[in-house]
Amino acid sequence: MLEAGSTARLAAFVAGARPFPADVERIAKRLLLDQLARQIAGAAMPWSGAVRATVRALGSGSGATSVWFGDALAVDEAAFVNGALGYGGDVVDTPGIAAVEAGAVVIPAVLAVAEQRRSTGRALLEGIVAGAEVLLRIAAAVTPHLYARGHDAPPAAGPFGAAAGCARLLGLRAAQTENA
């Protein structure tokens, strides 16, 4: 269980200006490439057309792209489509840490915001690292308890990881990140 002040410490980590170590950057790059490949593979799943059609019917904007289909979508819609396709294989990409698909949760959100903002590759990688770190820390803390109660960790920890990754990408201060 998280102790008091844990959210503030995670937000301070996310908002920190220090660069991440080179080995962590390599892992982030691997996660990004792995997630893009999973999204492409997920596009062949029988339900992917229904996901695409449903989101396209919303027609609420542009700003980001669905990776495989190339549709111009609103940022949240692109993140949803890419996340659904990337999660389709239900393959854990962070073995030994927590049973979650960190790439399928964090990367679609961070990638959509990065595209809309025309962010640098460096900012994208930092968002991936920060988001994955937060997601994994929370998932590791709650996983045994959630599974014992019949729940899954990604829906519980995922929004925090996606918010943290986007907060880092956007350069939010610690207090803004904690609020997110």
Side-chain angles (χ1 to χ4, degrees):
M1 185 169 298
L2 295 175
E3 60 189 58
S6 297
T7 305
R9 285 196 306 281
L10 283 174
F13 161 77
V14 170
R18 70 201 166 289
F20 296 110
D23 59 333
V24 172
E25 282 188 29
R26 280 192 297 278
I27 292 168
K29 289 176 184 176
R30 183 192 55 78
L31 266 178
L32 175 60
L33 291 174
D34 181 68
Q35 180 50 213
L36 292 173
R38 289 173 197 246
Q39 289 176 27
I40 291 167
M45 302 297 266
W47 46 263
S48 65
V51 169
R52 177 188 187 203
T54 300
V55 171
R56 284 182 53 145
L58 298 172
S60 65
S62 62
T65 309
S66 64
V67 169
W68 175 253
F69 299 115
D71 298 324
L73 302 169
V75 173
D76 59 329
E77 293 169 353
F80 176 78
V81 169
N82 292 332
L85 298 182
Y87 194 81
D90 197 23
V91 178
V92 173
D93 56 14
T94 52
I97 300 170
V100 296
E101 296 76 9
V105 175
V106 172
I107 291 173
V110 174
L111 190 61
V113 172
E115 181 182 2
Q116 180 195 43
R117 296 292 183 120
R118 292 181 160 64
S119 300
T120 65
R122 164 80 44 220
L124 173 66
L125 288 176
E126 288 183 3
I128 291 169
V129 170
E133 181 73 18
V134 168
L135 184 148
L136 292 171
R137 285 177 182 260
I138 293 172
V142 301
T143 294
H145 310 292
L146 286 176
Y147 287 133
R149 290 173 173 82
H151 298 284
D152 198 12
F160 297 102
C166 291
R168 176 67 179 228
L169 178 76
L170 294 170
L172 300 184
R173 296 183 314 273
Q176 294 170 304
T177 300
E178 185 176 5
N179 188 48

mmCIF file of all heavy atoms in Angstrom, residues 48-95:
data_model
loop_
_atom_site.group_PDB
_atom_site.id
_atom_site.type_symbol
_atom_site.label_atom_id
_atom_site.label_comp_id
_atom_site.label_asym_id
_atom_site.label_seq_id
_atom_site.Cartn_x
_atom_site.Cartn_y
_atom_site.Cartn_z
ATOM 1 N N SER A 48 -10.346 -5.060 -34.594
ATOM 2 C CA SER A 48 -9.699 -3.761 -34.793
ATOM 3 C C SER A 48 -10.502 -2.847 -35.718
ATOM 4 O O SER A 48 -10.538 -1.634 -35.523
ATOM 5 C CB SER A 48 -8.275 -3.934 -35.314
ATOM 6 O OG SER A 48 -8.287 -4.518 -36.606
ATOM 7 N N GLY A 49 -11.153 -3.416 -36.713
ATOM 8 C CA GLY A 49 -11.986 -2.600 -37.602
ATOM 9 C C GLY A 49 -13.139 -1.955 -36.867
ATOM 10 O O GLY A 49 -13.497 -0.802 -37.141
ATOM 11 N N ALA A 50 -13.717 -2.678 -35.919
ATOM 12 C CA ALA A 50 -14.830 -2.123 -35.138
ATOM 13 C C ALA A 50 -14.352 -0.991 -34.238
ATOM 14 O O ALA A 50 -15.041 0.024 -34.083
ATOM 15 C CB ALA A 50 -15.495 -3.219 -34.313
ATOM 16 N N VAL A 51 -13.165 -1.145 -33.651
ATOM 17 C CA VAL A 51 -12.598 -0.081 -32.816
ATOM 18 C C VAL A 51 -12.386 1.159 -33.671
ATOM 19 O O VAL A 51 -12.786 2.271 -33.306
ATOM 20 C CB VAL A 51 -11.279 -0.535 -32.154
ATOM 21 C CG1 VAL A 51 -10.548 0.634 -31.509
ATOM 22 C CG2 VAL A 51 -11.532 -1.622 -31.139
ATOM 23 N N ARG A 52 -11.780 0.966 -34.831
ATOM 24 C CA ARG A 52 -11.509 2.094 -35.726
ATOM 25 C C ARG A 52 -12.807 2.776 -36.152
ATOM 26 O O ARG A 52 -12.920 4.002 -36.101
ATOM 27 C CB ARG A 52 -10.747 1.599 -36.950
ATOM 28 C CG ARG A 52 -10.482 2.687 -37.954
ATOM 29 C CD ARG A 52 -9.897 2.146 -39.235
ATOM 30 N NE ARG A 52 -9.493 3.213 -40.124
ATOM 31 C CZ ARG A 52 -9.375 3.061 -41.419
ATOM 32 N NH1 ARG A 52 -9.619 1.885 -41.978
ATOM 33 N NH2 ARG A 52 -9.002 4.059 -42.170
ATOM 34 N N ALA A 53 -13.780 2.000 -36.593
ATOM 35 C CA ALA A 53 -15.038 2.560 -37.081
ATOM 36 C C ALA A 53 -15.766 3.333 -35.988
ATOM 37 O O ALA A 53 -16.313 4.418 -36.241
ATOM 38 C CB ALA A 53 -15.931 1.453 -37.628
ATOM 39 N N THR A 54 -15.764 2.800 -34.800
ATOM 40 C CA THR A 54 -16.450 3.464 -33.692
ATOM 41 C C THR A 54 -15.807 4.813 -33.382
ATOM 42 O O THR A 54 -16.497 5.818 -33.222
ATOM 43 C CB THR A 54 -16.439 2.568 -32.439
ATOM 44 O OG1 THR A 54 -17.110 1.340 -32.757
ATOM 45 C CG2 THR A 54 -17.105 3.241 -31.269
ATOM 46 N N VAL A 55 -14.494 4.837 -33.327
ATOM 47 C CA VAL A 55 -13.797 6.092 -33.013
ATOM 48 C C VAL A 55 -13.919 7.082 -34.164
ATOM 49 O O VAL A 55 -14.157 8.272 -33.942
ATOM 50 C CB VAL A 55 -12.325 5.814 -32.647
ATOM 51 C CG1 VAL A 55 -11.539 7.104 -32.532
ATOM 52 C CG2 VAL A 55 -12.254 5.042 -31.336
ATOM 53 N N ARG A 56 -13.804 6.609 -35.388
ATOM 54 C CA ARG A 56 -13.944 7.516 -36.537
ATOM 55 C C ARG A 56 -15.333 8.131 -36.582
ATOM 56 O O ARG A 56 -15.499 9.273 -37.005
ATOM 57 C CB ARG A 56 -13.634 6.788 -37.832
ATOM 58 C CG ARG A 56 -12.144 6.571 -38.039
ATOM 59 C CD ARG A 56 -11.888 5.893 -39.340
ATOM 60 N NE ARG A 56 -12.557 6.634 -40.406
ATOM 61 C CZ ARG A 56 -12.083 6.778 -41.618
ATOM 62 N NH1 ARG A 56 -10.939 6.237 -41.932
ATOM 63 N NH2 ARG A 56 -12.756 7.445 -42.522
ATOM 64 N N ALA A 57 -16.351 7.389 -36.145
ATOM 65 C CA ALA A 57 -17.717 7.910 -36.146
ATOM 66 C C ALA A 57 -17.865 9.096 -35.197
ATOM 67 O O ALA A 57 -18.745 9.942 -35.386
ATOM 68 C CB ALA A 57 -18.707 6.808 -35.766
ATOM 69 N N LEU A 58 -17.010 9.164 -34.193
ATOM 70 C CA LEU A 58 -17.050 10.300 -33.272
ATOM 71 C C LEU A 58 -16.649 11.587 -33.985
ATOM 72 O O LEU A 58 -17.165 12.655 -33.688
ATOM 73 C CB LEU A 58 -16.140 10.058 -32.070
ATOM 74 C CG LEU A 58 -16.497 8.872 -31.178
ATOM 75 C CD1 LEU A 58 -15.399 8.638 -30.148
ATOM 76 C CD2 LEU A 58 -17.835 9.091 -30.516
ATOM 77 N N GLY A 59 -15.659 11.450 -34.877
ATOM 78 C CA GLY A 59 -15.223 12.578 -35.689
ATOM 79 C C GLY A 59 -14.976 13.850 -34.924
ATOM 80 O O GLY A 59 -15.361 14.928 -35.369
ATOM 81 N N SER A 60 -14.330 13.748 -33.776
ATOM 82 C CA SER A 60 -14.231 14.927 -32.912
ATOM 83 C C SER A 60 -12.961 15.741 -33.092
ATOM 84 O O SER A 60 -12.719 16.639 -32.310
ATOM 85 C CB SER A 60 -14.373 14.503 -31.452
ATOM 86 O OG SER A 60 -13.301 13.678 -31.075
ATOM 87 N N GLY A 61 -12.157 15.462 -34.091
ATOM 88 C CA GLY A 61 -11.001 16.320 -34.279
ATOM 89 C C GLY A 61 -9.822 15.643 -34.904
ATOM 90 O O GLY A 61 -9.910 14.533 -35.406
ATOM 91 N N SER A 62 -8.722 16.350 -34.850
ATOM 92 C CA SER A 62 -7.466 15.833 -35.364
ATOM 93 C C SER A 62 -6.363 16.290 -34.423
ATOM 94 O O SER A 62 -6.618 16.937 -33.433
ATOM 95 C CB SER A 62 -7.227 16.339 -36.791
ATOM 96 O OG SER A 62 -7.134 17.745 -36.790
ATOM 97 N N GLY A 63 -5.156 15.943 -34.744
ATOM 98 C CA GLY A 63 -4.035 16.323 -33.894
ATOM 99 C C GLY A 63 -3.080 15.173 -33.670
ATOM 100 O O GLY A 63 -1.923 15.371 -33.347
ATOM 101 N N ALA A 64 -3.589 13.941 -33.839
ATOM 102 C CA ALA A 64 -2.749 12.764 -33.683
ATOM 103 C C ALA A 64 -3.218 11.721 -34.690
ATOM 104 O O ALA A 64 -4.289 11.851 -35.286
ATOM 105 C CB ALA A 64 -2.813 12.235 -32.257
ATOM 106 N N THR A 65 -2.428 10.686 -34.847
ATOM 107 C CA THR A 65 -2.656 9.698 -35.897
ATOM 108 C C THR A 65 -2.760 8.298 -35.330
ATOM 109 O O THR A 65 -2.012 7.944 -34.420
ATOM 110 C CB THR A 65 -1.476 9.739 -36.895
ATOM 111 O OG1 THR A 65 -1.265 11.081 -37.310
ATOM 112 C CG2 THR A 65 -1.722 8.867 -38.097
ATOM 113 N N SER A 66 -3.670 7.503 -35.877
ATOM 114 C CA SER A 66 -3.659 6.086 -35.535
ATOM 115 C C SER A 66 -2.508 5.465 -36.319
ATOM 116 O O SER A 66 -2.372 5.679 -37.528
ATOM 117 C CB SER A 66 -4.998 5.413 -35.849
ATOM 118 O OG SER A 66 -5.266 5.440 -37.229
ATOM 119 N N VAL A 67 -1.665 4.732 -35.627
ATOM 120 C CA VAL A 67 -0.399 4.266 -36.194
ATOM 121 C C VAL A 67 -0.595 3.431 -37.455
ATOM 122 O O VAL A 67 -0.001 3.707 -38.486
ATOM 123 C CB VAL A 67 0.426 3.491 -35.136
ATOM 124 C CG1 VAL A 67 1.608 2.787 -35.766
ATOM 125 C CG2 VAL A 67 0.893 4.449 -34.047
ATOM 126 N N TRP A 68 -1.408 2.432 -37.426
ATOM 127 C CA TRP A 68 -1.550 1.547 -38.579
ATOM 128 C C TRP A 68 -2.463 2.140 -39.648
ATOM 129 O O TRP A 68 -2.136 2.141 -40.818
ATOM 130 C CB TRP A 68 -2.070 0.178 -38.156
ATOM 131 C CG TRP A 68 -2.333 -0.706 -39.344
ATOM 132 C CD1 TRP A 68 -3.552 -1.055 -39.838
ATOM 133 C CD2 TRP A 68 -1.367 -1.306 -40.198
ATOM 134 N NE1 TRP A 68 -3.411 -1.846 -40.943
ATOM 135 C CE2 TRP A 68 -2.059 -2.022 -41.190
ATOM 136 C CE3 TRP A 68 0.020 -1.309 -40.235
ATOM 137 C CZ2 TRP A 68 -1.435 -2.734 -42.197
ATOM 138 C CZ3 TRP A 68 0.655 -2.025 -41.238
ATOM 139 C CH2 TRP A 68 -0.056 -2.723 -42.195
ATOM 140 N N PHE A 69 -3.607 2.646 -39.231
ATOM 141 C CA PHE A 69 -4.596 3.113 -40.193
ATOM 142 C C PHE A 69 -4.260 4.481 -40.777
ATOM 143 O O PHE A 69 -4.711 4.826 -41.854
ATOM 144 C CB PHE A 69 -5.989 3.139 -39.558
ATOM 145 C CG PHE A 69 -6.443 1.793 -39.093
ATOM 146 C CD1 PHE A 69 -6.652 1.550 -37.749
ATOM 147 C CD2 PHE A 69 -6.655 0.759 -39.990
ATOM 148 C CE1 PHE A 69 -7.081 0.310 -37.300
ATOM 149 C CE2 PHE A 69 -7.082 -0.489 -39.560
ATOM 150 C CZ PHE A 69 -7.292 -0.712 -38.213
ATOM 151 N N GLY A 70 -3.519 5.297 -40.049
ATOM 152 C CA GLY A 70 -3.154 6.622 -40.527
ATOM 153 C C GLY A 70 -4.258 7.652 -40.417
ATOM 154 O O GLY A 70 -4.154 8.735 -40.996
ATOM 155 N N ASP A 71 -5.318 7.331 -39.681
ATOM 156 C CA ASP A 71 -6.428 8.266 -39.516
ATOM 157 C C ASP A 71 -5.999 9.448 -38.660
ATOM 158 O O ASP A 71 -5.347 9.277 -37.635
ATOM 159 C CB ASP A 71 -7.614 7.579 -38.821
ATOM 160 C CG ASP A 71 -8.165 6.415 -39.620
ATOM 161 O OD1 ASP A 71 -8.185 6.498 -40.857
ATOM 162 O OD2 ASP A 71 -8.588 5.424 -38.993
ATOM 163 N N ALA A 72 -6.398 10.657 -39.064
ATOM 164 C CA ALA A 72 -6.202 11.846 -38.246
ATOM 165 C C ALA A 72 -7.332 11.880 -37.226
ATOM 166 O O ALA A 72 -8.497 11.923 -37.593
ATOM 167 C CB ALA A 72 -6.212 13.097 -39.109
ATOM 168 N N LEU A 73 -6.971 11.820 -35.958
ATOM 169 C CA LEU A 73 -7.948 11.729 -34.871
ATOM 170 C C LEU A 73 -7.633 12.752 -33.796
ATOM 171 O O LEU A 73 -6.520 13.276 -33.729
ATOM 172 C CB LEU A 73 -7.913 10.324 -34.249
ATOM 173 C CG LEU A 73 -8.185 9.142 -35.184
ATOM 174 C CD1 LEU A 73 -7.853 7.833 -34.476
ATOM 175 C CD2 LEU A 73 -9.625 9.152 -35.644
ATOM 176 N N ALA A 74 -8.588 12.989 -32.920
ATOM 177 C CA ALA A 74 -8.324 13.780 -31.722
ATOM 178 C C ALA A 74 -7.288 13.020 -30.891
ATOM 179 O O ALA A 74 -7.155 11.797 -31.003
ATOM 180 C CB ALA A 74 -9.612 13.983 -30.928
ATOM 181 N N VAL A 75 -6.553 13.729 -30.078
ATOM 182 C CA VAL A 75 -5.465 13.125 -29.307
ATOM 183 C C VAL A 75 -5.953 11.939 -28.472
ATOM 184 O O VAL A 75 -5.343 10.868 -28.484
ATOM 185 C CB VAL A 75 -4.778 14.182 -28.413
ATOM 186 C CG1 VAL A 75 -3.763 13.554 -27.490
ATOM 187 C CG2 VAL A 75 -4.115 15.233 -29.283
ATOM 188 N N ASP A 76 -7.059 12.111 -27.738
ATOM 189 C CA ASP A 76 -7.551 11.020 -26.900
ATOM 190 C C ASP A 76 -8.038 9.846 -27.745
ATOM 191 O O ASP A 76 -7.881 8.683 -27.361
ATOM 192 C CB ASP A 76 -8.640 11.508 -25.945
ATOM 193 C CG ASP A 76 -9.848 12.103 -26.651
ATOM 194 O OD1 ASP A 76 -9.700 12.681 -27.753
ATOM 195 O OD2 ASP A 76 -10.954 12.004 -26.086
ATOM 196 N N GLU A 77 -8.597 10.130 -28.910
ATOM 197 C CA GLU A 77 -9.072 9.056 -29.781
ATOM 198 C C GLU A 77 -7.905 8.258 -30.358
ATOM 199 O O GLU A 77 -7.948 7.026 -30.418
ATOM 200 C CB GLU A 77 -9.920 9.632 -30.922
ATOM 201 C CG GLU A 77 -11.217 10.240 -30.447
ATOM 202 C CD GLU A 77 -11.925 11.040 -31.534
ATOM 203 O OE1 GLU A 77 -11.346 11.242 -32.630
ATOM 204 O OE2 GLU A 77 -13.064 11.462 -31.286
ATOM 205 N N ALA A 78 -6.847 8.950 -30.790
ATOM 206 C CA ALA A 78 -5.663 8.264 -31.312
ATOM 207 C C ALA A 78 -5.028 7.406 -30.220
ATOM 208 O O ALA A 78 -4.630 6.256 -30.469
ATOM 209 C CB ALA A 78 -4.652 9.268 -31.856
ATOM 210 N N ALA A 79 -4.951 7.949 -29.013
ATOM 211 C CA ALA A 79 -4.388 7.171 -27.906
ATOM 212 C C ALA A 79 -5.232 5.928 -27.646
ATOM 213 O O ALA A 79 -4.701 4.842 -27.404
ATOM 214 C CB ALA A 79 -4.299 8.036 -26.647
ATOM 215 N N PHE A 80 -6.547 6.069 -27.718
ATOM 216 C CA PHE A 80 -7.431 4.931 -27.481
ATOM 217 C C PHE A 80 -7.253 3.858 -28.557
ATOM 218 O O PHE A 80 -7.082 2.679 -28.249
ATOM 219 C CB PHE A 80 -8.891 5.379 -27.430
ATOM 220 C CG PHE A 80 -9.841 4.220 -27.273
ATOM 221 C CD1 PHE A 80 -10.027 3.627 -26.043
ATOM 222 C CD2 PHE A 80 -10.525 3.710 -28.362
ATOM 223 C CE1 PHE A 80 -10.883 2.546 -25.897
ATOM 224 C CE2 PHE A 80 -11.387 2.636 -28.232
ATOM 225 C CZ PHE A 80 -11.569 2.050 -26.992
ATOM 226 N N VAL A 81 -7.314 4.255 -29.824
ATOM 227 C CA VAL A 81 -7.175 3.280 -30.912
ATOM 228 C C VAL A 81 -5.815 2.588 -30.836
ATOM 229 O O VAL A 81 -5.725 1.359 -30.886
ATOM 230 C CB VAL A 81 -7.377 3.946 -32.295
ATOM 231 C CG1 VAL A 81 -6.980 2.996 -33.424
ATOM 232 C CG2 VAL A 81 -8.819 4.397 -32.462
ATOM 233 N N ASN A 82 -4.752 3.366 -30.710
ATOM 234 C CA ASN A 82 -3.419 2.773 -30.663
ATOM 235 C C ASN A 82 -3.232 1.899 -29.431
ATOM 236 O O ASN A 82 -2.597 0.846 -29.497
ATOM 237 C CB ASN A 82 -2.352 3.867 -30.734
ATOM 238 C CG ASN A 82 -2.333 4.540 -32.091
ATOM 239 O OD1 ASN A 82 -2.690 3.952 -33.110
ATOM 240 N ND2 ASN A 82 -1.922 5.798 -32.117
ATOM 241 N N GLY A 83 -3.813 2.316 -28.315
ATOM 242 C CA GLY A 83 -3.731 1.495 -27.107
ATOM 243 C C GLY A 83 -4.496 0.195 -27.250
ATOM 244 O O GLY A 83 -4.032 -0.872 -26.834
ATOM 245 N N ALA A 84 -5.690 0.257 -27.858
ATOM 246 C CA ALA A 84 -6.484 -0.957 -28.055
ATOM 247 C C ALA A 84 -5.749 -1.935 -28.967
ATOM 248 O O ALA A 84 -5.700 -3.136 -28.693
ATOM 249 C CB ALA A 84 -7.848 -0.601 -28.642
ATOM 250 N N LEU A 85 -5.162 -1.422 -30.047
ATOM 251 C CA LEU A 85 -4.432 -2.300 -30.954
ATOM 252 C C LEU A 85 -3.164 -2.845 -30.290
ATOM 253 O O LEU A 85 -2.818 -4.010 -30.460
ATOM 254 C CB LEU A 85 -4.083 -1.566 -32.242
ATOM 255 C CG LEU A 85 -5.256 -1.068 -33.081
ATOM 256 C CD1 LEU A 85 -4.767 -0.395 -34.355
ATOM 257 C CD2 LEU A 85 -6.226 -2.184 -33.404
ATOM 258 N N GLY A 86 -2.493 -2.015 -29.526
ATOM 259 C CA GLY A 86 -1.256 -2.438 -28.868
ATOM 260 C C GLY A 86 -1.476 -3.393 -27.712
ATOM 261 O O GLY A 86 -0.585 -4.155 -27.343
ATOM 262 N N TYR A 87 -2.651 -3.363 -27.144
ATOM 263 C CA TYR A 87 -2.975 -4.234 -26.012
ATOM 264 C C TYR A 87 -3.574 -5.555 -26.476
ATOM 265 O O TYR A 87 -3.680 -6.506 -25.715
ATOM 266 C CB TYR A 87 -3.967 -3.510 -25.089
ATOM 267 C CG TYR A 87 -4.132 -4.150 -23.734
ATOM 268 C CD1 TYR A 87 -3.196 -3.912 -22.737
ATOM 269 C CD2 TYR A 87 -5.214 -4.969 -23.443
ATOM 270 C CE1 TYR A 87 -3.348 -4.480 -21.483
ATOM 271 C CE2 TYR A 87 -5.368 -5.539 -22.193
ATOM 272 C CZ TYR A 87 -4.426 -5.295 -21.222
ATOM 273 O OH TYR A 87 -4.566 -5.861 -19.985
ATOM 274 N N GLY A 88 -3.933 -5.623 -27.749
ATOM 275 C CA GLY A 88 -4.657 -6.772 -28.283
ATOM 276 C C GLY A 88 -4.009 -8.119 -28.073
ATOM 277 O O GLY A 88 -4.690 -9.124 -27.905
ATOM 278 N N GLY A 89 -2.692 -8.166 -28.071
ATOM 279 C CA GLY A 89 -2.010 -9.440 -27.863
ATOM 280 C C GLY A 89 -1.940 -9.849 -26.409
ATOM 281 O O GLY A 89 -1.627 -10.981 -26.095
ATOM 282 N N ASP A 90 -2.239 -8.897 -25.510
ATOM 283 C CA ASP A 90 -2.221 -9.138 -24.065
ATOM 284 C C ASP A 90 -0.926 -9.811 -23.630
ATOM 285 O O ASP A 90 -0.922 -10.808 -22.924
ATOM 286 C CB ASP A 90 -3.439 -9.968 -23.646
ATOM 287 C CG ASP A 90 -3.687 -9.883 -22.142
ATOM 288 O OD1 ASP A 90 -3.238 -8.898 -21.525
ATOM 289 O OD2 ASP A 90 -4.309 -10.810 -21.596
ATOM 290 N N VAL A 91 0.195 -9.243 -24.075
ATOM 291 C CA VAL A 91 1.512 -9.772 -23.750
ATOM 292 C C VAL A 91 2.190 -8.806 -22.780
ATOM 293 O O VAL A 91 2.318 -7.617 -23.073
ATOM 294 C CB VAL A 91 2.383 -9.937 -25.017
ATOM 295 C CG1 VAL A 91 3.762 -10.439 -24.663
ATOM 296 C CG2 VAL A 91 1.696 -10.871 -26.004
ATOM 297 N N VAL A 92 2.609 -9.321 -21.647
ATOM 298 C CA VAL A 92 3.285 -8.496 -20.642
ATOM 299 C C VAL A 92 4.651 -8.090 -21.182
ATOM 300 O O VAL A 92 5.450 -8.932 -21.579
ATOM 301 C CB VAL A 92 3.428 -9.268 -19.309
ATOM 302 C CG1 VAL A 92 4.262 -8.487 -18.322
ATOM 303 C CG2 VAL A 92 2.056 -9.569 -18.738
ATOM 304 N N ASP A 93 4.925 -6.773 -21.219
ATOM 305 C CA ASP A 93 6.198 -6.296 -21.747
ATOM 306 C C ASP A 93 7.182 -5.892 -20.654
ATOM 307 O O ASP A 93 8.249 -5.384 -20.934
ATOM 308 C CB ASP A 93 5.982 -5.151 -22.738
ATOM 309 C CG ASP A 93 5.200 -3.972 -22.168
ATOM 310 O OD1 ASP A 93 5.042 -3.897 -20.934
ATOM 311 O OD2 ASP A 93 4.737 -3.143 -22.960
ATOM 312 N N THR A 94 6.814 -6.111 -19.410
ATOM 313 C CA THR A 94 7.695 -5.796 -18.280
ATOM 314 C C THR A 94 7.761 -6.997 -17.338
ATOM 315 O O THR A 94 7.362 -6.900 -16.175
ATOM 316 C CB THR A 94 7.192 -4.553 -17.534
ATOM 317 O OG1 THR A 94 5.808 -4.745 -17.207
ATOM 318 C CG2 THR A 94 7.351 -3.300 -18.373
ATOM 319 N N PRO A 95 8.235 -8.140 -17.821
ATOM 320 C CA PRO A 95 8.246 -9.335 -16.968
ATOM 321 C C PRO A 95 9.118 -9.150 -15.732
ATOM 322 O O PRO A 95 10.137 -8.484 -15.777
ATOM 323 C CB PRO A 95 8.807 -10.419 -17.888
ATOM 324 C CG PRO A 95 9.589 -9.677 -18.911
ATOM 325 C CD PRO A 95 8.901 -8.363 -19.090
#
